[in-house]
Amino acid sequence: MIEYREEMWQAEQKPGQKQDHRKQQGSLYPRPYTGGNSPSGLQPNNRHSYLDSHRPFSLKQSLLRTSKPGKEDFYSFLQKMKNDMNAGLEREDDSYFELNGKALIGDPQAVSFFMNGIEKYLRKTPFTGKLPEAYRTAAEALFHEWKGFGPAYRWFTDRAYSESTGLQMIGKQIFYNHRGKFVPYPYEMPSLDRVEQLKRSLLKSDPNKKLNKDNPSVEFKMDDPLWPGRFIRLAIWVSPRVWDGFTTISLRRQVVEFLDLEDQAGTECIPAEAIELIRALAGTFRNTIIAGAVGSGKTTFANTIVGEQLLGSTSCMGVVMIEKHPESILPYQIKGHRIIPIQAANEELMEVGVESLRHDPNILYMTEMRYNEWEFYLWSGEKGYDGITGTFHTVDSEDIPYQGAFAVSTRIGGSLKGHLISALKSCELVFILESVPDGKKRLARISEVFYEEGSNSVFANDLMRWEDEKSAWSYNDKLTTGLMTKMKKKNPQATRLLLHELGHLAAMKPMEGPLKESLKSRIVLNE
């Protein structure tokens, strides 16, 4: 049978008719045609004359002549298509609902399954109306309004958004992170009902998650279509956590691979002069908190510190990485070490953490510390473990022990003063990260946290600090005797290098007023 080439057949459609009959095999989400105005290679002036003089029989043309074009607006057409296709799909495939969830999170086979069905439907019932503004083809629009993220789909599939770290839907409104700041997305959700449909579809992709008035928030993850092997974290809030009509869906993309200290200096997060200092400090394996506000780069920097510890080791190291939701990419980036990534829910964190110590770890890494994680962090430090690293949302080095103690006291009760004393045995170093313009991150402080017996209080002793007035870092080489003793016992060579680098930089760029007291800790300790 003789038939037009695909591009010639497309060229003959009525003006305004949009079709996409490409097969989407191998793509996580369907992508629109991006070629020129004359995909067949024919010049515009002679293309129609060629078609007029060469009209052999075509099955596709025959189908189009005998089928009734869609006359409804887009959403009416979509609803009719859903009704028609759902009946057939449910009869043919018992795993239909499982395919729904997989299509939403970009599973290639599930996407291909539904796209093939949509394309068959369009061949029988072409859509001739106006598409929503966010879409370029009928097949693309129908898939994403039926099974995908609606107009937000480009954030998931378009390389122009590949460096955007976040997307947020609040009711119908959509915002995305552009160079460290949230800005309005070009399109919004078509209706609040569409937002609720998306919420229900997301929940169906993970049957273990519950979201209702008694549990108004939920978190989970999905694979990232733009970055194979990475993931996107999702958090959903519904009423009564937020107002009716303000259902909030927040997505965070992991866009940064492992950065060593040279890479961090290249991004201007740290100065090149401090690379050897920080590397030596990491090599002493002190118990460390990497802190900062949301989006300050603390997880990336925590990966840097733990990664440097592994890369600088001459033997095979054991790492127990405890997470509620996957945060770190170290298991994929650094080979040759025993990195055990553990996922544990809040209620089992302590039990799983204690069990993990039986696997002989050299490093305990807790990628997102909130309340439950602090209990295990303090318990481990009090038992004498070192090499503990965790991240935490705060910006004050001196108050880290108090905040850890308060988290444990709030969760399990007991004496806040007793928990604070435990925290002082567990928290030794604090790195504070901050966001700066143009989406960049900066290491604002490195502090030693210690207890001062004479004043019965807690202090942060800054070893390195960003000075806004000078637009430069300053340094302090006065460490406490207790910390120095632990460092020398753990790694004498790294300690010598640290003192050498710190002394050199402190002489060149001395710090004024390195001590800062924690008033919260003082009040608790002197009750």
Side-chain angles (χ1 to χ4, degrees):
M1 178 179 68
I2 300 174
E3 189 172 339
Y4 286 145
R5 295 203 307 270
E6 180 76 11
E7 59 269 22
M8 295 179 185
W9 174 77
Q10 288 181 350
E12 199 181 25
Q13 303 308 303
K14 296 178 182 180
Q17 181 171 332
K18 298 184 180 181
Q19 297 225 17
D20 186 354
H21 299 280
R22 296 169 301 126
K23 301 298 181 184
Q24 298 295 335
Q25 303 293 344
S27 173
L28 287 175
Y29 282 97
R31 287 181 170 81
Y33 172 74
T34 57
N37 293 327
S38 299
S40 65
L42 298 174
Q43 295 301 315
N45 292 335
N46 61 17
R47 181 173 59 188
H48 289 290
S49 62
Y50 177 88
L51 291 170
D52 291 337
S53 60
H54 296 75
R55 292 184 178 277
F57 173 77
S58 169
L59 178 59
K60 291 180 179 178
Q61 291 292 80
S62 179
L63 286 171
L64 287 173
R65 283 194 295 270
T66 58
S67 63
K68 181 181 178 181
K71 297 297 184 182
E72 307 90 348
D73 67 21
F74 175 81
Y75 291 102
S76 297
F77 184 91
L78 170 64
Q79 187 59 50
K80 183 177 184 303
M81 184 198 76
K82 288 164 62 175
N83 292 339
D84 293 346
M85 290 184 64
N86 278 339
L89 289 170
E90 289 174 357
R91 284 197 306 269
E92 295 173 9
D93 196 340
D94 293 336
S95 60
Y96 175 63
F97 293 108
E98 182 181 352
L99 282 169
N100 270 338
K102 289 184 176 180
L104 179 65
I105 61 176
D107 178 80
Q109 291 183 333
V111 170
S112 179
F113 176 82
F114 288 110
M115 278 301 297
N116 287 339
I118 291 171
E119 289 167 350
K120 288 179 182 178
Y121 189 87
L122 283 172
R123 285 196 287 270
K124 295 179 181 179
T125 310
F127 174 70
T128 57
K130 183 180 179 181
L131 293 173
E133 188 180 357
Y135 306 102
R136 289 165 282 194
T137 69
E140 169 184 272
L142 291 167
F143 175 83
H144 288 294
E145 287 295 335
W146 183 25
K147 299 297 180 185
F149 280 85
Y153 83 101
R154 289 192 184 179
W155 186 82
F156 295 88
T157 63
D158 193 330
R159 286 288 171 187
Y161 293 97
S162 62
E163 298 301 320
S164 173
T165 58
L167 181 85
Q168 191 168 64
M169 301 179 191
I170 305 174
K172 291 169 55 179
Q173 300 178 90
I174 306 177
F175 306 87
Y176 75 101
N177 193 303
H178 179 63
R179 295 183 178 178
K181 296 181 179 179
F182 274 91
V183 298
Y185 187 74
Y187 315 102
E188 65 176 25
M189 296 295 281
S191 66
L192 292 176
D193 286 341
R194 181 66 180 89
V195 176
E196 293 304 306
Q197 176 198 337
L198 174 59
K199 178 199 73 178
R200 291 191 297 269
S201 298
L202 287 167
L203 291 173
K204 286 179 181 178
S205 69
D206 189 343
N208 295 321
K209 302 297 183 181
K210 305 298 180 185
L211 190 65
N212 49 48
K213 65 178 183 180
D214 297 320
N215 300 284
S217 63
V218 69
E219 295 184 17
F220 50 98
K221 71 181 181 72
M222 61 174 279
D223 293 332
D224 191 336
L226 281 179
W227 298 96
R230 301 188 194 175
F231 52 85
I232 293 172
R233 288 182 57 189
L234 296 96
I236 305 177
W237 281 1
V238 298
S239 177
R241 179 63 51 81
V242 293
W243 293 359
D244 286 331
F246 286 84
T247 293
T248 300
I249 303 175
S250 299
L251 303 102
R252 291 174 60 190
R253 165 177 280 142
Q254 185 182 50
V255 300
V256 180
E257 296 186 6
F258 169 70
L259 302 179
D260 62 19
L261 288 170
E262 280 80 6
D263 295 326
Q264 291 282 10
T267 66
E268 300 180 6
C269 178
I270 63 172
E273 66 196 17
I275 290 175
E276 293 305 320
L277 183 162
I278 299 173
R279 181 168 286 145
L281 187 60
T284 63
F285 290 85
R286 302 328 312 149
N287 294 337
T288 302
I289 296 294
I290 314 290
V294 174
S296 60
K298 59 185 177 296
T299 300
T300 300
F301 202 85
N303 286 335
T304 297
I305 294 299
V306 176
E308 288 285 351
Q309 291 174 334
L310 296 176
L311 294 173
S313 175
T314 57
S315 60
C316 178
M317 302 282 284
V319 182
V320 166
M321 201 167 67
I322 303 176
E323 306 175 307
K324 285 199 293 288
H325 309 285
E327 285 275 346
S328 176
I329 56 175
L330 284 182
Y332 300 107
Q333 298 292 321
I334 298 180
K335 305 299 181 181
H337 294 280
R338 299 178 294 111
I339 304 177
I340 307 173
I342 298 173
Q343 284 187 256
N346 282 334
E347 60 274 8
E348 58 181 353
L349 270 168
M350 186 64 183
E351 180 182 353
V352 170
V354 174
E355 289 178 357
S356 72
L357 299 178
R358 299 169 189 161
H359 294 271
D360 301 316
N362 305 101
I363 298 171
L364 298 176
Y365 183 18
M366 309 180 75
T367 61
E368 183 69 16
M369 294 176 60
R370 294 177 183 172
Y371 278 80
N372 298 71
E373 292 85 352
W374 271 110
E375 183 182 1
F376 177 62
Y377 189 100
L378 299 191
W379 182 87
S380 302
E382 195 169 27
K383 294 295 182 182
Y385 287 93
D386 53 17
I388 311 173
T389 296
T391 67
F392 189 59
H393 292 293
T394 191
V395 294
D396 299 311
S397 299
E398 65 278 6
D399 285 334
I400 285 283
Y402 170 84
Q403 293 192 34
F406 182 78
V408 176
S409 177
T410 300
R411 204 184 80 80
I412 66 173
S415 167
L416 178 59
K417 184 175 183 178
H419 291 310
L420 178 56
I421 293 172
S422 176
L424 291 171
K425 297 179 180 179
S426 308
C427 302
E428 296 173 319
L429 294 176
V430 177
F431 290 71
I432 301 291
L433 278 294
E434 63 183 10
S435 297
V436 292
D438 297 324
K440 294 183 178 180
K441 320 297 180 186
R442 181 165 59 214
L443 177 62
R445 297 171 71 184
I446 300 178
S447 309
E448 170 196 2
V449 181
F450 69 95
Y451 168 69
E452 169 57 51
E453 187 175 355
S455 60
N456 197 31
S457 190
V458 176
F459 289 85
N461 177 33
D462 290 346
L463 308 179
M464 175 178 169
R465 186 171 68 204
W466 171 259
E467 309 288 357
D468 284 321
E469 299 82 4
K470 300 177 182 178
S471 294
W473 280 271
S474 62
Y475 302 88
N476 163 43
D477 61 351
K478 303 298 188 295
L479 286 76
T480 65
T481 303
L483 183 64
M484 290 274 292
T485 301
K486 293 179 181 178
M487 287 179 169
K488 290 177 180 178
K489 183 178 181 180
K490 187 70 176 184
N491 191 335
Q493 183 177 353
T495 304
R496 285 193 297 270
L497 178 58
L498 167 67
L499 295 176
H500 176 269
E501 292 293 324
L502 195 56
H504 171 68
L505 290 169
M508 292 174 51
K509 302 177 179 181
M511 182 186 299
E512 296 181 4
L515 295 180
K516 188 172 183 181
E517 184 180 11
S518 170
L519 297 180
K520 293 179 179 179
S521 295
R522 183 173 187 175
I523 291 171
V524 172
L525 290 171
N526 288 279
E527 285 180 343

